[in-house]
Amino acid sequence: VTLQPKSNEGGPKGVLGGISLDYDPLVGGPSKYMVGTEQGTILSCNRRGKSPTDKISQCFNGHHGPVYSVMRNSFFSKYFLTIGDWTARIWCDDIKTPMFTTFYHRAYLTAGAWHP
């Protein structure tokens, strides 16, 4: 899959480099997955898209550096958690900006997960 969104308002243009992936067929369905990029953008993707541009359904911009971890909530699949730069952020599929952002930590954050 070429990670090149057709429209990425306020975010980087061109081909993006993916470094984290969240795919869980029980949470997002068998064809949906999320990709965190080196440029700080999170892409919501669909394997069943007809063309390469249809495979990327949504773009979320918010991190100032690479997104090291992306994870959907297993109970409420429209919510997802991202870890990048010095923050953790909670997002909703319906909103383009983060619902919650932690303060900037002194240590560089590299991973995060939902508590069961």
Side-chain angles (χ1 to χ4, degrees):
V1 172
T2 302
L3 300 175
Q4 185 170 11
K6 57 185 169 189
S7 167
N8 191 8
E9 295 179 25
K13 307 290 185 229
V15 178
L16 305 177
I19 59 170
S20 60
L21 177 74
D22 176 56
Y23 173 74
D24 186 352
L26 299 176
V27 176
S31 64
K32 294 186 178 183
Y33 61 98
M34 300 194 80
V35 177
T37 68
E38 291 178 345
Q39 293 81 4
T41 300
I42 301 99
L43 305 173
S44 179
C45 303
N46 189 343
R47 292 183 337 156
R48 296 185 185 170
K50 303 284 186 223
S51 68
T53 56
D54 291 339
K55 292 183 185 265
I56 299 174
S57 56
Q58 288 182 300
C59 297
F60 301 91
N61 296 301
H63 287 283
H64 303 291
V67 178
Y68 290 114
S69 180
V70 179
M71 184 178 191
R72 282 212 178 265
N73 187 310
S74 57
F75 297 106
F76 303 101
S77 62
K78 72 179 193 173
Y79 299 106
F80 59 97
L81 168 72
T82 60
I83 305 294
D85 48 47
W86 295 269
T87 63
R89 298 172 192 236
I90 296 176
W91 306 73
C92 178
D93 283 339
D94 304 333
I95 304 170
K96 291 285 187 183
T97 58
M99 295 173 40
F100 176 78
T101 302
T102 63
F103 61 91
Y104 284 89
H105 293 273
R106 290 180 187 208
Y108 205 69
L109 302 180
T110 57
W114 291 97
H115 186 278

